[in-house]
C-alpha cells in the first residue's frame, strides 16, 4: 500500500501520478461529497470533477456525466477514492487529447514513466525472490524467474509464492503445513492460499484494505507489486529498531537525549537518520530527507559507501559528471562490499522511492558502521518492555493498521499520544462518533491541542460505556502504557462484538456476549459428535490447541488435516498445534493478530478474539449450517475419515457456563448499538 503524506493508495501506479499536495486536496474534495451514509456515488462526481484542474476548461458537467455513464450503467453505484482518481486521470487524458499539442505528449510521457516504474520494480522483486527463495523445497522447481517476462505474475496466481515470501520477511508467520502445495491447484485451494496470504500479510503489518483474493488470482500487476513491495520492505527494515540493533543509539546527537524519539520513528525514518549520521561524518553537506530526489544524483551514496567501505573506494565516482555513470560506480562499490545487485543505475537516477529505500536497507544490513563499544549501547540494551505489554502493543498496532487508518501506526504507545489516530480508529469502529470540527490533525504544535484530541477519545469511550476509571486525556498524551492498552482492548472488543451483532438477525435476538460465544463454540463442537468443552476463556485445557482445532473442523470440515495434529501435551507439541491453528484460521478467512504463545499461555483476551473470529466467519459463510431454529447448528456429522485424536480418553464435556468473567481491566464493554445522531446530540446511550 502506497502512502502519500497521510493519503493511502493501494495502486502503485497512482502514486506516481500526483504530488502529495494533490493527493491531499483531491481526498478532501472527494470526502466533501460523501452522503449521510458516508458513501460517494458515481452520480456525485460530475459537479465535483467539472471544477478540477484540467477538466473545467475542457468539459461541461453534463459531458462529464455522459462520459462516466459510458463506464457505469447505474450512476447510483458506490465509488471509492482510488476509482475516483483513475476516472479523473482518464478524463484528464481525454481533455488533453481534445486540446492536442504538447499537453497530449506530456500525458504520454507520464504514462510511460508509470510503466517504467512497474517494470523496474518487477525486475527488482524478481531478483529478490530468486535469491531468498532459491532453496525452497517447493518453489525451486520454478526458479529462477525471468525479470523480463511475466513469470512473477503467473507464479503468484496460486498463492504459494506470497505465503513463502511472507515467511522470509517474518519467519514463522505461516505454518507451511497449512499451505496448499501441489503443481495443479483447484480454484478452492488457490483461494485458500490467497486468503491465508492476505490475512498473514496483515499480521506482519501490510496494509491490504483494497486488495482481494480475486486480484491475486488474476495476477493484477500493480496490486501484486504493491503487496510484494510491502512484504520485502518489512523484511529489509526489520532490524531498524533499538531492540534488534541497540547500536543505533549512536546516531543520536547527544547520547541518551532523544532515545524515546528514536524509538517512535518509523523504520524508514530511522534509516534516513542512520544515513545522515554517516554522511555528516563523511563531509557531505546536504541532509537527505527522502529516497527519491535527494539521492537521484548518486552523490549521497558515494559519500555513504566511502565512509562505510573505504577499501573499495573509486575516486572516479565523485569526479564523474554524469549521474548514470556515477550510479553505476556506486552499485559496483556496493557489490564489492557484499550487497546483492538488485536495482539498475537508471532506477537510482529516476528516483524510484521503494527501490532506493531497499538499496539503502541492504547497505545497512551488510555494514551499518555503528559502534560495538558496549558502553555506548548499554543504555539502549536496558530498554526492555514488559513481555506481555510488547505482545499487546503488537496485536493492537496490527489491528489498528488493518482498519485502514490513514496515519500508519508504527509504535502504539508513541503514535496515539496526539489522539488523532485513536479518533481515526473510533471513527472506523463507531462511525459518526467523532466530532472532527473539534479535532486537530498532526502535526500539532500546541500540547493543549493534543489533550483536546485525547479528551474527545475518552469522552467517546464513555459514550460507548467503556470502563475508563482513572483514564483522562492527559494519560494518553503522557503515554501511560497500561491505561492505553486497557482502552484499546475495550475498543477492539467492542468492534468485534458489533461485527457479530451485525448478524444478530441470525441469532434470533440473542445478545452477543462472552458466554454466548462460548456456548456457540461448545455446541458447534458437540454437533460434530465430539465432546471437548470449555467453561471460560481462562480454561487451561485451551493451551493444547485441540479445542480450537475441533472448532475449526466443525465450521469447515476439510480445513484441518488431523494427521498434522499433536496431542498437545509437551510445550513443543502445544506450539506445533498453536502455529497450525493460527494459519488454518487465517486460511478460512479469519483476520487475527495473536501469537502461538497466546494460545499456549491461554491469554484470555486473545482466546476470545480467536473464538469470535471463527464464529463471525461461520455466521457469514454458512448461516444455514451454523444456526437452526434454536440458534445453533446440529448438521455437522463427525468426520469419520479424519477423526480428532483422543488425547487421554476422557470425556471432557461440561455444562455450558451461564456467565463468563469480564475480560477487560475493570468492566466489560457492553453490547450496545449507538446511532450517529446520539453522538451529535450528546444523548445518553442505551443498551438494546
Amino acid at each position: 500500500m502506497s502512502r502519500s503524506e497521510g493519503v493511502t493508495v493501494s495502486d502503485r501506479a497512482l502514486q506516481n501520478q500526483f504530488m502529495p499536495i494533490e493527493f491531499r486536496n483531491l481526498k478532501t474534495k472527494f470526502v466533501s461529497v460523501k452522503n449521510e451514509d458516508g458513501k460517494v456515488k458515481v452520480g456525485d462526481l460530475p459537479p465535483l470533477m467539472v471544477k478540477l484542474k484540467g477538466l473545467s476548461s475542457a468539459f461541461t458537467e453534463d459531458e462529464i456525466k455522459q462520459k462516466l455513464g459510458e463506464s457505469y450503467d447505474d450512476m447510483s453505484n458506490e465509488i471509492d477514492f482510488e476509482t475516483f482518481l483513475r476516472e479523473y486521470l482518464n478524463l484528464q487524458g481525454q481533455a488533453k487529447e481534445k486540446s492536442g499539442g504538447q499537453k497530449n505528449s506530456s500525458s504520454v510521457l507520464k504514462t510511460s514513466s508509470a510503466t517504467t516504474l512497474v517494470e523496474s520494480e518487477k525486475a527488482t522483486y524478481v531478483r529478490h525472490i530468486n535469491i531468498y527463495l532459491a532453496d525452497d523445497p517447493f518453489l525451486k522447481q520454478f526458479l529462477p524467474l525471468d525479470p523480463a517476462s511475466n513469470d512473477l505474475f503467473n507464479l503468484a496466481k496460486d498463492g504459494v509464492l506470497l505465503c513463502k515470501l511472507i515467511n522470509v520477511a517474518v519467519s514463522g508467520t505461516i505454518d507451511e503445513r497449512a499451505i496448499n502445495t501441489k503443481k495443479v491447484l483447484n480454484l478452492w485451494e488457490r483461494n485458500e492460499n490467497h486468503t491465508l496470504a492476505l490475512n498473514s500479510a496483515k499480521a506482519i503489518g501490510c496494509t491490504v484494505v483494497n486488495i482481494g483474493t480475486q486480484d491475486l488470482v488474476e495476477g493484477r500487476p500493480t496490486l501484486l507489486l504493491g503487496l510484494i513491495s510491502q512484504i520485502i520492505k518489512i523484511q529489509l527494515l526489520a532490524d531498524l529498531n533499538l531492540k534488534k540493533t541497540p547500536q543505533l543509539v549512536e546516531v543520536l546527537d547527544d547520547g541518551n537525549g532523544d532515545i524515546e524519539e528514536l524509538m517512535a520513528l518509523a523504520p524508514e525514518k530511522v534509516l534516513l537518520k542512520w544515513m545522515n549520521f554517516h554522511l555528516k561524518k563523511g563531509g557531505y553537506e546536504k541532509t537527505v530527507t527522502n529516497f527519491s530526489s535527494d539521492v537521484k544524483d548518486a552523490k549521497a551514496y558515494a559519500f555513504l559507501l566511502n565512509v562505510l567501505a573505504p577499501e573499495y573506494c573509486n575516486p572516479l565516482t565523485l569526479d564523474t559528471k554524469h549521474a548514470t555513470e556515477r550510479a553505476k560506480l556506486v552499485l559496483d562499490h556496493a557489490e564489492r562490499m557484499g550487497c546483492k545487485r538488485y536495482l539498475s543505475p537508471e532506477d537510482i537516477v529516476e528516483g524510484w522511492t521503494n527501490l532506493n529505500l531497499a538499496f539503502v536497507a541492504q547497505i545497512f544490513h551488510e555494514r551499518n558502521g555503528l559502534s560495538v563499544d558496549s558502553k555506548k549501547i548499554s543504555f539502549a540494551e536496558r530498554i526492555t518492555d514488559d513481555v506481555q505489554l510488547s505482545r499487546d502493543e503488537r496485536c493492537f498496532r496490527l489491528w489498528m493498521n488493518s482498519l485502514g487508518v490513514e496515519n500508519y501506526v508504527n509504535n502504539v504507545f508513541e503514535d496515539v499520544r496526539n489522539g488523532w489516530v485513536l479518533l481515526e480508529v473510533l471513527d472506523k469502529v463507531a462511525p459518526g462518533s467523532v466530532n472532527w470540527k473539534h479535532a486537530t490533525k498532526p502535526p500539532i504544535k500546541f500540547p493543549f491541542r493534543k489533550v483536546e484530541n485525547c479528551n474527545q477519545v475518552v469522552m467517546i469511550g464513555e459514550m460507548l460505556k467503556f470502563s475508563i476509571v482513572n483514564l483522562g486525556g492527559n494519560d494518553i498524551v503522557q503515554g501511560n502504557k497500561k491505561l492505553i492498552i486497557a482502552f484499546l482492548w475495550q475498543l477492539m472488543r467492542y468492534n468485534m462484538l458489533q461485527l457479530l451483532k451485525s448478524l444478530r438477525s441470525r441469532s434470533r435476538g440473542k445478545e452477543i456476549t462472552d458466554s454466548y460465544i462460548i456456548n456457540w463454540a461448545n455446541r458447534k463442537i458437540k454437533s460434530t459428535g465430539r465432546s471437548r468443552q470449555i467453561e471460560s476463556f481462562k480454561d487451561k485445557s485451551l493451551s493444547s490447541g485441540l479445542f480450537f482445532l475441533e472448532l475449526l473442523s466443525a465450521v469447515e470440515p476439510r480445513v484441518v488435516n488431523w494427521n498434522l495434529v499433536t496431542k498437545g501435551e509437551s510445550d513443543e507439541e502445544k506450539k506445533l498445534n498453536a502455529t497450525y491453528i493460527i494459519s488454518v484460521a487465517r486460511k478460512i478467512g479469519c483476520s487475527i493478530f495473536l501469537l502461538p504463545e497466546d494460545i499456549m499461555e491461554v491469554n484470555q483476551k486473545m482466546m476470545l478474539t480467536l473464538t469470535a473470529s471463527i464464529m463471525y466467519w461461520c455466521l457469514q459463510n454458512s448461516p444455514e449450517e451454523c444456526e437452526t431454529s434454536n440458534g445453533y447448528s446440529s448438521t455437522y456429522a463427525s468426520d469419520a475419515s479424519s477423526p480428532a485424536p483422543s488425547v487421554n480418553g476422557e470425556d471432557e464435556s461440561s455444562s455450558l457456563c451461564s456467565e463468563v468473567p469480564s475480560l477487560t481491566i475493570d468492566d466489560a464493554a457492553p453490547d450496545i448499538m449507538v446511532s450517529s445522531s446520539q453522538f451529535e446530540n450528546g444523548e445518553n446511550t442505551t443498551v438494546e
Side-chain angles (χ1 to χ4, degrees):
M1 183 73 66
S2 304
R3 309 185 66 78
S4 184
E5 299 297 325
V7 179
T8 307
V9 291
S10 64
D11 192 333
R12 305 285 313 151
L14 285 176
Q15 183 186 26
N16 200 52
Q17 301 294 317
F18 301 98
M19 296 294 289
I21 190 170
E22 290 179 301
F23 266 116
R24 292 195 297 272
N25 290 338
L26 288 170
K27 181 72 176 208
T28 300
K29 288 181 171 63
F30 179 78
V31 171
S32 70
V33 297
K34 284 186 176 181
N35 57 31
E36 294 179 355
D37 298 329
K39 299 177 180 178
V40 176
K41 298 178 180 178
V42 178
D44 298 324
L45 296 184
L48 167 65
M49 299 182 85
V50 74
K51 300 176 184 177
L52 297 180
K53 178 181 177 182
L55 302 186
S56 57
S57 60
F59 302 117
T60 64
E61 184 177 325
D62 288 338
E63 286 176 328
I64 292 176
K65 183 176 180 180
Q66 181 181 356
K67 289 182 179 296
L68 290 174
E70 294 173 1
S71 302
Y72 300 92
D73 295 330
D74 188 354
M75 296 296 280
S76 65
N77 284 346
E78 183 183 355
I79 192 167
D80 60 26
F81 179 58
E82 292 190 29
T83 306
F84 160 68
L85 292 178
R86 294 188 189 97
E87 294 297 346
Y88 177 36
L89 287 172
N90 180 43
L91 287 172
Q92 270 191 329
Q94 293 183 46
K96 289 172 182 176
E97 287 178 5
K98 188 176 181 181
S99 61
Q102 294 183 348
K103 293 182 179 179
N104 190 53
S105 62
S106 174
S107 177
V108 173
L109 288 173
K110 205 168 189 180
T111 303
S112 175
S113 178
T115 303
T116 302
L117 172 59
V118 170
E119 289 301 316
S120 294
E121 288 196 339
K122 182 182 73 171
T124 298
Y125 302 153
V126 163
R127 294 186 192 106
H128 183 94
I129 289 167
N130 286 340
I131 291 169
Y132 283 93
L133 291 172
D135 297 325
D136 182 83
F138 178 77
L139 289 179
K140 64 182 181 182
Q141 60 184 312
F142 305 107
L143 301 180
L145 300 176
D146 180 5
S149 72
N150 286 325
D151 285 354
L152 172 61
F153 306 129
N154 294 329
L155 183 58
K157 287 181 179 180
D158 66 7
V160 178
L161 174 64
L162 286 175
C163 290
K164 298 280 188 176
L165 201 56
I166 287 169
N167 269 355
V168 170
V170 182
S171 179
T173 298
I174 296 176
D175 187 331
E176 298 202 1
R177 297 176 298 172
I179 305 174
N180 297 318
T181 52
K182 295 189 302 186
K183 283 192 174 181
V184 180
L185 298 178
N186 60 41
L187 186 60
W188 182 275
E189 292 166 332
R190 283 188 176 188
N191 189 66
E192 283 185 333
N193 281 349
H194 288 309
T195 303
L196 173 59
L198 287 176
N199 283 318
S200 299
K202 288 183 193 177
I204 65 171
C206 296
T207 306
V208 296
V209 175
N210 293 317
I211 305 176
T213 56
Q214 190 60 31
D215 298 318
L216 302 180
V217 169
E218 294 174 2
R220 295 185 180 178
T222 52
L223 293 179
L224 184 60
L225 290 176
L227 181 56
I228 291 175
S229 170
Q230 291 186 77
I231 296 169
I232 292 176
K233 180 179 176 182
I234 287 169
Q235 175 192 344
L236 295 177
L237 299 182
D239 293 338
L240 267 297
N241 59 74
L242 287 175
K243 287 184 180 179
K244 295 284 187 69
T245 312
Q247 297 94 331
L248 279 167
V249 73
E250 188 178 351
V251 307
L252 296 175
D253 295 332
D254 54 354
N256 303 343
D258 299 314
I259 191 78
E260 289 188 358
E261 180 184 345
L262 183 63
M263 292 176 65
L265 289 177
E268 51 266 42
K269 297 294 184 183
V270 176
L271 190 62
L272 279 173
K273 200 170 185 68
W274 167 81
M275 185 177 182
N276 284 311
F277 168 75
H278 285 301
L279 289 176
K280 186 177 180 180
K281 287 201 304 183
Y284 191 66
E285 297 180 355
K286 298 179 182 178
T287 298
V288 176
T289 61
N290 58 64
F291 294 106
S292 181
S293 58
D294 287 358
V295 296
K296 290 174 71 170
D297 61 6
K299 288 182 180 179
Y301 289 149
F303 275 86
L304 177 64
L305 293 175
N306 286 347
V307 171
L308 296 175
E311 67 273 25
Y312 300 120
C313 175
N314 185 340
L316 294 176
T317 305
L318 287 172
D319 292 339
T320 184
K321 296 181 179 180
H322 300 288
T324 304
E325 181 61 27
R326 186 182 304 113
K328 181 181 182 303
L329 293 173
V330 161
L331 291 175
D332 290 341
H333 189 161
E335 192 168 25
R336 286 196 295 274
M337 62 180 273
C339 294
K340 302 291 190 299
R341 188 181 285 260
Y342 283 155
L343 69 173
S344 68
E346 291 73 24
D347 296 331
I348 294 177
V349 174
E350 288 289 345
W352 303 136
T353 300
N354 286 335
L355 303 187
N356 279 284
L357 184 151
F359 178 53
V360 179
Q362 255 200 318
I363 296 172
F364 175 86
H365 280 289
E366 193 61 37
R367 189 175 299 192
N368 62 39
L370 297 174
S371 173
V372 293
D373 186 343
S374 59
K375 292 181 180 180
K376 289 187 177 182
I377 64 174
S378 60
F379 181 77
E381 289 181 326
R382 288 200 301 270
I383 301 176
T384 54
D385 287 329
D386 175 89
V387 173
Q388 189 56 53
L389 268 180
S390 295
R391 203 181 291 171
D392 287 342
E393 187 276 337
R394 171 196 168 276
C395 173
F396 293 126
R397 168 168 39 87
L398 295 170
W399 170 67
M400 292 163 75
N401 286 327
S402 76
L403 296 175
V405 292
E406 289 190 1
N407 291 273
Y408 191 86
V409 180
N410 291 290
N411 182 311
V412 167
F413 300 129
E414 294 298 326
D415 292 352
V416 303
R417 291 174 64 176
N418 61 28
W420 183 265
V421 72
L422 286 176
L423 291 173
E424 281 193 90
V425 174
L426 282 163
D427 195 47
K428 295 282 187 182
V429 171
S433 62
V434 179
N435 186 341
W436 292 109
K437 293 180 180 178
H438 293 167
T440 304
K441 187 173 183 178
I444 303 175
K445 295 181 180 180
F446 304 108
F448 75 91
R449 294 295 186 191
K450 298 179 182 179
V451 177
E452 285 179 347
N453 282 353
C454 293
N455 281 341
Q456 186 178 177
V457 168
V458 175
M459 181 191 72
I460 297 171
E462 289 176 336
M463 288 180 167
L464 296 176
K465 303 299 183 186
F466 291 177
S467 174
I468 52 176
V469 178
N470 299 323
L471 175 66
N474 200 50
D475 292 309
I476 299 175
V477 175
Q478 295 298 320
N480 187 312
K481 294 181 178 181
K482 290 188 176 180
L483 292 178
I484 289 171
I485 288 296
F487 182 85
L488 285 173
W489 162 238
Q490 294 184 83
L491 186 55
M492 184 179 185
R493 183 178 184 276
Y494 173 81
N495 176 233
M496 181 174 50
L497 295 182
Q498 289 300 95
L499 287 173
L500 287 171
K501 194 166 186 177
S502 67
L503 305 172
R504 65 182 303 159
S505 61
R506 299 172 190 170
S507 62
R508 300 191 174 271
K510 294 179 182 289
E511 288 295 327
I512 306 294
T513 61
D514 299 346
S515 58
Y516 181 91
I517 295 170
I518 285 181
N519 285 336
W520 174 86
N522 281 334
R523 296 199 185 196
K524 194 70 190 144
I525 290 175
K526 191 174 182 179
S527 72
T528 66
R530 297 176 178 128
S531 59
R532 201 175 305 278
Q533 306 278 278
I534 60 171
E535 294 185 358
S536 78
F537 289 117
K538 295 188 291 185
D539 196 314
K540 294 300 181 183
S541 67
L542 290 171
S543 66
S544 72
L546 295 174
F547 177 84
F548 292 114
L549 287 164
E550 291 188 4
L551 179 59
L552 286 163
S553 181
V555 301
E556 179 50 77
R558 64 182 295 279
V559 79
V560 176
N561 182 348
W562 287 104
N563 293 324
L564 302 176
V565 177
T566 73
K567 293 182 177 181
E569 295 175 347
S570 66
D571 286 346
E572 183 180 354
E573 289 182 341
K574 289 178 180 178
K575 187 160 188 177
L576 284 170
N577 283 352
T579 55
Y580 188 55
I581 288 166
I582 293 171
S583 290
V584 169
R586 288 174 179 156
K587 184 177 180 178
I588 65 171
C590 297
S591 183
I592 49 177
F593 306 101
L594 73 165
L595 294 169
E597 290 77 11
D598 291 317
I599 298 176
M600 296 170 65
E601 298 168 12
V602 191
N603 180 329
Q604 55 182 332
K605 291 184 289 188
M606 295 301 107
M607 299 303 91
L608 170 59
T609 59
L610 175 57
T611 311
S613 295
I614 297 171
M615 179 180 180
Y616 181 68
W617 179 87
C618 180
L619 296 182
Q620 269 194 317
N621 293 275
S622 305
E624 72 286 351
E625 294 183 341
C626 290
E627 295 181 289
T628 59
S629 59
N630 64 359
Y632 300 96
S633 171
S634 58
T635 60
Y636 279 117
S638 178
D639 186 6
S641 62
S642 55
S646 175
V647 179
N648 51 26
E650 298 178 1
D651 183 357
E652 298 179 7
S653 62
S654 62
S655 61
L656 299 178
C657 61
S658 58
E659 189 63 35
V660 179
S662 168
L663 300 184
T664 57
I665 302 298
D666 294 293
D667 297 325
D671 186 26
I672 60 178
M673 292 289 284
V674 185
S675 70
S676 58
S677 62
Q678 285 176 314
F679 283 115
E680 293 167 359
N681 300 328
E683 298 175 12
N684 292 327
T685 57
T686 56
V687 179
E688 284 191 349

